[in-house]
Amino acid sequence: MRGACALAGVAVLAVVGAGVPTPAAVAADGGHGGPDLSRFYSQKIEWAACEGETEAMAEGAGGAKDVKCGHVEVPVDYARPAAGTVDLAMIRMKSSSTGKPRGSLLLNFGGPGGPGVSALAGSQKDFSFLSKEYDVVSFDPRGVGESAPVTCGDTGMGAGAIQGGPGTGTDDPAAVLAELRKDAAICAEKSGPVLEHMGTVNVSRDLDVMRQALGDKKLNYLGFSYGTRIGAVYSAQFPKNVGRMVLDGVDTLTEPIAEQQRVTAEGRQTALDHFLSWCTRNPGCVFGTDARSARQSMRQIIEDLDKMPLQAMDGAQFSGQDVVGVLGQALYSRQAWPALSQALGALLADGDPRALLRMSGGLGGAVRGALPPAVRRGRDAVPMDNMTSALMAVNCADDPDRPDAARIEKEVGRLQREFEEASPVFGRSMLMPVLLCFGRPPGTDYIRKSVRDVSSPELLLVGTRGDPATPYRWTVETARRLGSQAIVLDNKGDGHTGYLGSKCVHDKVDGFLLYGEMPANGSSCPANPAEE
């Protein structure tokens, strides 16, 4: 899910960083010297039938009887718990064990900005084996989904100018930055007080409240993509509360947003190159049999459609950047490659983008990087821009770097060149998030400085060599920072994260979470036979 804001230039702005307290190991009675949090740590979750689209998704996945929804209450500001609270939406897939369950296993599907309630409701079969021993639980983090969702409404003119390249605004950086300031004010107005208190430091604290409310002495946790950042921060904040923890598709803890986005652009380009090599080895590939020629053709298609988009009868347009958005989703899962090949064939042969458009709405599953539809709770719809707005709110809250306007204006051109060199296809779209924290208070430096050399039990880190969003080197770098407690499993396959794409990874993760069987550090999983 990392980099989801690159999907079609959606409006995203956030005011972040203000009021994020310095983390400490939080005792239920406030014994760490901070405010008393005992009322939050003493609550119990009341599970009831899910409502609206969550209920429909659970029924569609065949598990409505065993799936319940609930919520926990957390302070908006942990430094001032009396100043207001947030209800965090939760979902539980009850254990099928005939004996006493092992406890809860909490899942985070990634993002930032990915809702866990709808994700688990629609993907119960993927975690059915784990539910033999655990109550499998997920949640919408603060500001996300059904948990006081943040929104920027119809803002995004500045973001659109950045996306559009020369001639649409980036040749006048000062005008773009002025637009971003206006958009940020609208985001703050529409989102309310939770926007100032987004960020992984607070999500980690929320996670500990959830652990206690579930009745678990230790947190058992499986985090994907951005969810690995949450797990790493938790292991630093609450090392004595860590149970069995798996981090799959490991995020960076140190790199600033500009470097994160550039590396992600490189990762997506590598994944696209792998897809085109695979396609040209298969009969009927629309790009022929030469991978180098296929890469050139792919770039030409995008360039041509940006110059002259396809026009629908209702006036809607389909541009090259729309193709980039679909590619960014489809490359997250190798299972989507055959359908992507056919959809690109229809586009090239007949000028028909309908198959690509269907893919953009039907890839499904937060782990695979798709954007799920808005969900409802009662009559209140989650804003359509919530995922992208939350993504930027969290990323800015977690990043302490804030270059001034003069520096940004000076460096926009250089950044454009660097991103396009990193990826001729994805570089342009990945530049937008780099600028969106401009003018916001610096985020916390806790993650960069203090999430290291953890004293928790051993953590299993899974890195995938062909991952388009979280490159394998981030797994190695994060493991080095976390210290001897981090055990690395090297997945040599493709796609974003390993658990749902590799039987080997799936078995090793289940073995650890269910039976405590930790793989040897540096052990590996081969590419699936279909990937060779």
Side-chain angles (χ1 to χ4, degrees), residues 238-403:
F238 306 98
K240 294 182 180 179
N241 294 347
V242 174
R244 296 175 184 174
M245 180 175 288
V246 178
L247 311 180
D248 183 4
V250 182
D251 202 355
T252 180
L253 299 176
T254 59
E255 292 182 346
I257 291 177
E259 183 62 13
Q260 290 181 39
Q261 294 299 116
R262 190 190 65 79
V263 170
T264 301
E266 286 183 344
R268 290 190 176 188
Q269 186 66 49
T270 298
L272 177 60
D273 292 346
H274 287 183
F275 161 73
L276 292 173
S277 295
W278 166 86
C279 182
T280 54
R281 292 196 303 268
N282 285 275
C285 177
V286 70
F287 295 104
T289 59
D290 182 74
R292 182 176 179 180
S293 175
R295 289 193 289 270
Q296 293 173 341
S297 297
M298 190 76 255
R299 292 195 292 269
Q300 191 64 51
I301 292 166
I302 294 167
E303 181 179 334
D304 290 346
L305 284 173
D306 277 336
K307 291 178 179 177
M308 189 175 293
L310 297 173
Q311 192 86 21
M313 294 293 291
D314 61 0
Q317 293 185 335
F318 186 80
S319 71
Q321 292 310 301
D322 291 318
V323 176
V324 171
V326 176
L327 290 174
Q329 295 182 66
L331 293 172
Y332 271 54
S333 172
R334 192 179 179 98
Q335 287 90 331
W337 288 10
L340 177 61
S341 178
Q342 293 177 4
L344 288 170
L347 178 69
L348 289 178
D350 306 315
D352 185 353
R354 287 178 295 179
L356 283 173
L357 290 169
R358 285 193 295 272
M359 288 195 73
S360 68
L363 287 167
V367 174
R368 297 179 178 87
L371 295 174
V375 295
R376 291 182 178 273
R377 187 174 189 174
R379 292 176 294 177
D380 299 324
V382 176
M384 292 302 296
D385 74 316
N386 173 241
M387 292 186 71
T388 47
S389 294
L391 183 148
M392 287 313 305
V394 173
N395 279 345
C396 294
D398 288 357
D399 188 271
D401 300 322
R402 289 297 182 274

Side-chain angles (χ1 to χ4, degrees), residues 102 134 244 458 509-519:
R102 185 183 298 277
Y134 290 103
R244 296 175 184 174
E458 288 184 332
V509 168
D510 284 353
F512 171 58
L513 290 174
L514 293 173
Y515 314 117
E517 299 172 350
M518 176 66 80

